[in-house]
Amino acid sequence: MKKHALSGQQPHIKQTGYLLNSRYTPLYVLFCSYLLISLLLRMVLLLSFGPAAHVPMMQTPAIIGFGCINDLATALYLLTPFALYLLLMPQHLYDSAAGRFFMLSFLWVFLFAILYLTAVQFFFFQEFDGRFNLVAVDYLIYPHEVFINIWQSYPVGKVLLAAALITSSTIYFIWPPIRTRMHIQTRIRHRVPLFCTLLLLCAVSLLTLSTNTLGHSSNRVARELTANGISSFFQAFRTNQLDYKQFYRNKDSLEMFSILRKNLLKTGGVFASAQPTDISRRFPEKENGLGKLNVVVIVEESLGCEHVDACGKGLDIDEAMTQQPYQMTPFLDTFARQGLFFNRAYATGTRTVRGLEAISASFPPIPSESIIKRPGGDNIATWGEVMRENGYHTSFLYGGYGQFDNMNHFFRGNGFAISDRLDIQNPTFTNIWGVSDQDLFQHACSYFDKLSRQGKPFFSIIMSTSNHSPYTFPEGIPGVPPKGGGRNAGVLYADYSLGSFFGRAKGCSWYGDTLFVVVADHGARVYGEAQIPLTSYEIPLLILAPDHIFPKQIQTPISQMDIAPTVLGLLGLPYKAPFMGRDVLAKPLEPTLLLFNHNHDVALYTDEKLVVLGLQNQVNTYHYTLGSKTFRTIS
């Protein structure tokens, strides 16, 4: 052997096929490393988040077992291209200096990426109570805002350093034996069988498995724990724009339109035409309406009911304040006593664009992507169009750059005047998401002052930004640290800014002739075991017009989709629109009807039943009482 080594010849080693002493050794190492890291991550996630979501301990074997199958399938997808390289690379190139450099680099990059993504998956699960989903896909679409936000909100530098150190230490130990085995010549006839086996397993996996195939539990978090994060991401990316007829339960379109028209007619109005696919209805002017008041809709970022005492789970507001004396939103709680406050208000989804589409267009949450980000979202029927037909100026005001989530394009394409971060000069405070809420509201007051002087009523939607990670705020706000205060500080600052806005607005000439709507775009975060965790969808909703509306707490369930019809009903304005929401203050009241979205699932709630439509034509029905945290599977 020594003679061969000195002469530079290949050592003669007995052929070992595709056992460990072959050129497939690096493949085995990466397979085992990925499976081990994924198993450890699943155990950490289960221990960290399983108890809060009531994941039964008896499901642990299934979560681990089915999860390993998902991990194995993902490992096949990730490493089959590497196996192709090992199959085709000639020995003299494979064991050359360049080949050894490539192998060392690939091993390091692969292990580093898997370790880093493991940490990212933990933080993502902590925030969204699930594996990578459509949120993660959206994050890649807007890298500037999102990556800087992540850098400022999470210990990215420490995670990168830790991943690099662990990777380097691992490579230090595994590289020498791998390097030695690179000398071994594995003949092509010995390489082919393993590669063909990998291809066969990939084909079987593609035909029989998806992220949700092994979802064995009725507990949503248990299913998320079973899934593989990387696989979940690619499924979300692949199905971001999908064929509904292929993936969802459906019936004949004309039959469904007939059912829809019958149900819409129960909520008032008359159809504008007899066309079976036309759901536009006409609503006459009301003699007892409030008339052409200005309308300002303030959409508060991530302000879930869990932070607002006034919500009270349907209780009378004074009783709720007694039982939940947190006082994180003292200004909003005070305003709640001065207008119509809805104790059972619900968001349609878990993203800002979901809230905006429901509020601005009374539009239901269709699967996957909001209409705000879909092609063809221009010139559709919106609340703004109705207001313009009644002589209003319409606008959308945003504290950030409105290209994010396609907001500017959507609102501009539907006739709204746009004013965003670019129009706010010399703000007192900014972060990656835009100016502070105080700067935004000050800009809004100035904007409305100009409109008021024109003598034309105005309708405006204001979208705030401050109650969002990285949770950084101006200095000098009572009880709000400039940074490091987290979500609680965000809620306190959002409420403080709201109080400042109304304090300033009261001194404006247009205040007495304005109806204000204060509502959240969605809750603070998604949590809970249910497939559609409705507790996460509870949001505050206030309609305030001190000189025109007598204060009252409303316990009728209401969706963001119902806001436009309800406000239009209060004003008494005539309009024609295909709105899917209803005026919840109209009589007689029909049974509760609420629509929801979570990732790829959409749901309808009525008569204490929640029907969920999912991918692959899945339909699940649950018994659920609004305000509770428990649900029971019916079918």
Side-chain angles (χ1 to χ4, degrees):
M1 292 291 293
K2 185 178 295 185
K3 180 179 179 181
H4 286 297
L6 290 173
S7 65
Q9 299 178 18
Q10 292 286 352
H12 178 71
I13 299 178
K14 185 179 180 180
Q15 285 291 333
T16 53
Y18 31 83
L19 299 177
L20 286 179
N21 290 326
S22 74
R23 70 159 58 188
Y24 282 121
T25 298
L27 186 67
Y28 302 142
V29 171
L30 293 183
F31 254 107
C32 293
S33 298
Y34 179 76
L35 294 176
L36 178 61
I37 292 170
S38 298
L39 175 62
L40 292 175
L41 172 62
R42 184 169 285 106
M43 293 298 297
V44 170
L45 294 177
L46 177 61
L47 294 173
S48 300
F49 307 110
H54 305 102
V55 175
M57 287 298 295
M58 62 184 297
Q59 291 186 8
T60 299
I63 291 173
I64 299 301
F66 290 140
C68 286
I69 295 175
N70 282 326
D71 296 339
L72 178 60
T74 303
L76 288 170
Y77 302 147
L78 292 176
L79 290 171
T80 294
F82 180 55
L84 179 63
Y85 166 81
L86 296 175
L87 170 70
L88 299 178
M89 186 59 58
Q91 180 65 26
H92 71 281
L93 294 176
Y94 176 70
D95 194 29
S96 66
R100 292 191 295 271
F101 178 78
F102 171 81
M103 180 63 68
L104 179 61
S105 300
F106 181 82
L107 290 172
W108 196 96
V109 169
F110 184 89
L111 287 175
F112 173 81
I114 295 304
L115 286 170
Y116 180 70
L117 285 175
T118 297
V120 172
Q121 286 188 67
F122 176 85
F123 290 118
F124 191 90
F125 210 107
Q126 184 181 54
E127 180 71 18
F128 298 102
D129 220 22
R131 299 284 191 169
F132 291 147
N133 52 34
L134 290 171
V135 177
V137 174
D138 286 346
Y139 278 7
L140 289 183
I141 296 175
Y142 300 98
H144 175 70
E145 292 89 346
V146 171
F147 287 171
I148 295 179
N149 172 56
I150 291 174
W151 182 270
Q152 295 176 346
S153 303
Y154 298 98
V156 178
K158 294 179 180 179
V159 171
L160 288 170
L161 178 60
L165 290 175
I166 295 173
T167 300
S168 298
S169 300
T170 303
I171 293 295
Y172 178 81
F173 288 103
I174 68 173
W175 175 244
I178 290 176
R179 170 68 185 87
T180 300
R181 284 164 175 78
M182 291 183 71
H183 289 308
I184 301 173
Q185 182 169 342
T186 307
R187 299 187 185 281
I188 189 69
R189 68 174 181 269
H190 293 135
R191 303 177 215 161
V192 170
L194 177 61
F195 183 75
C196 291
T197 302
L198 290 177
L199 282 182
L200 177 62
L201 290 174
C202 279
V204 171
S205 177
L206 285 170
L207 292 173
T208 61
L209 292 177
S210 71
T211 300
N212 303 317
T213 303
L214 301 176
H216 57 91
S217 175
S218 62
N219 185 300
R220 181 186 63 84
V221 175
R223 295 196 302 274
E224 294 288 344
L225 291 168
T226 304
N228 177 280
I230 295 176
S231 174
S232 296
F233 173 83
F234 281 105
Q235 184 194 43
F237 185 83
R238 187 178 68 253
T239 57
N240 198 28
Q241 303 285 342
L242 43 71
D243 182 349
Y244 297 150
K245 290 187 177 181
Q246 177 182 352
F247 286 95
Y248 290 89
R249 182 77 64 87
N250 57 85
K251 289 186 177 182
D252 177 73
S253 296
L254 289 179
E255 179 184 355
M256 299 309 294
F257 268 109
S258 176
I259 295 173
L260 177 59
R261 281 170 62 94
K262 289 178 182 178
N263 281 277
L264 287 176
L265 203 57
K266 295 177 182 179
T267 64
V270 295
F271 284 114
S273 78
Q275 292 296 323
T277 58
D278 186 1
I279 61 171
S280 294
R281 289 173 291 163
R282 295 186 184 277
F283 292 83
E285 183 177 1
K286 292 183 179 179
E287 294 183 359
N288 60 346
L290 301 178
K292 287 189 177 181
L293 298 179
N294 304 311
V295 177
V296 174
V297 181
I298 301 171
V299 185
E300 288 285 348
E301 171 69 46
S302 303
L303 190 60
C305 259
E306 63 265 42
H307 299 300
V308 181
D309 291 347
C311 285
K313 304 292 183 182
L315 300 174
D316 176 82
I317 190 169
D318 293 319
E319 182 181 0
M321 296 291 288
T322 301
Q323 294 190 14
Q324 299 177 226
Y326 301 127
Q327 280 292 292
M328 292 188 65
T329 54
F331 291 102
L332 180 55
D333 293 336
T334 298
F335 299 145
R337 292 186 172 95
Q338 300 172 8
L340 298 179
F341 189 81
F342 295 81
N343 287 336
R344 292 181 181 271
Y346 287 86
T348 60
T350 59
R351 302 299 310 282
T352 295
V353 286
R354 288 297 184 185
L356 290 177
E357 73 177 355
I359 294 167
S360 66
S362 188
F363 196 82
I366 57 179
S368 296
E369 196 62 271
S370 162
I371 58 170
I372 289 179
K373 299 173 67 174
R374 287 179 178 272
D378 299 343
N379 300 312
I380 65 174
T382 67
W383 191 358
E385 180 183 33
V386 168
M387 301 304 274
R388 285 192 299 276
E389 290 175 350
N390 279 278
Y392 282 73
H393 176 279
T394 62
S395 60
F396 173 70
L397 311 183
Y398 181 51
Y401 295 103
Q403 80 273 9
F404 182 77
D405 269 352
N406 205 45
M407 288 186 286
N408 275 2
H409 179 86
F410 173 81
F411 283 103
R412 183 180 291 113
N414 285 290
F416 287 76
I418 302 298
S419 186
D420 66 358
R421 171 69 180 85
L422 295 173
D423 300 317
I424 303 176
Q425 304 299 318
N426 303 316
T428 60
F429 179 86
T430 64
N431 63 19
I432 187 56
W433 291 113
V435 303
S436 70
D437 284 359
Q438 287 173 282
D439 289 307
L440 171 62
F441 286 138
Q442 182 174 341
H443 172 68
C445 285
S446 299
Y447 191 90
F448 299 151
D449 285 341
K450 294 179 182 178
L451 293 176
S452 179
R453 288 194 290 270
Q454 297 175 10
K456 186 177 183 179
F458 55 84
F459 167 74
S460 185
I461 298 175
I462 306 174
M463 182 68 230
S464 73
T465 61
S466 289
N467 186 22
H468 195 294
S469 59
Y471 300 112
T472 55
F473 314 101
E475 295 184 356
I477 308 301
V480 180
K483 60 181 179 178
R487 180 171 282 114
N488 287 349
V491 173
L492 288 167
Y493 179 71
D495 184 70
Y496 177 86
S497 300
L498 188 66
S500 299
F501 169 73
F502 278 105
R504 174 167 178 165
K506 286 179 180 178
C508 298
S509 60
W510 45 266
Y511 177 79
D513 297 319
T514 301
L515 180 147
F516 299 91
V517 178
V518 181
V519 63
D521 58 349
H522 54 77
R525 60 180 294 267
V526 180
Y527 57 91
E529 60 187 289
Q531 188 173 358
I532 302 285
L534 293 190
T535 304
S536 304
Y537 290 70
E538 297 170 351
I539 57 173
L541 171 58
L542 169 67
I543 298 178
L544 180 67
D547 296 336
H548 304 274
I549 298 177
F550 187 79
K552 184 179 181 182
Q553 280 81 55
I554 309 295
Q555 296 195 24
T556 303
I558 184 172
S559 165
Q560 289 169 321
M561 290 170 52
D562 302 322
I563 294 175
T566 300
V567 171
L568 288 168
L570 281 170
L571 298 176
L573 300 179
Y575 70 96
K576 168 193 168 186
F579 291 165
M580 300 281 281
R582 62 173 185 159
D583 179 357
V584 300
L585 300 178
K587 303 292 182 179
L589 291 176
E590 295 294 330
T592 298
L593 181 63
L594 302 171
L595 296 171
F596 302 97
N597 162 267
H598 184 222
N599 293 326
H600 293 102
D601 296 333
V602 289
L604 182 149
Y605 177 89
T606 186
D607 294 330
E608 297 197 335
K609 291 182 181 179
L610 182 70
V611 181
V612 183
L613 277 66
L615 285 171
Q616 311 304 334
N617 299 317
Q618 294 180 354
V619 178
N620 296 305
T621 304
Y622 305 95
H623 180 272
Y624 181 83
T625 301
L626 292 180
S628 70
K629 294 184 179 180
T630 60
F631 67 101
R632 175 171 54 84
T633 302
I634 298 176
S635 63

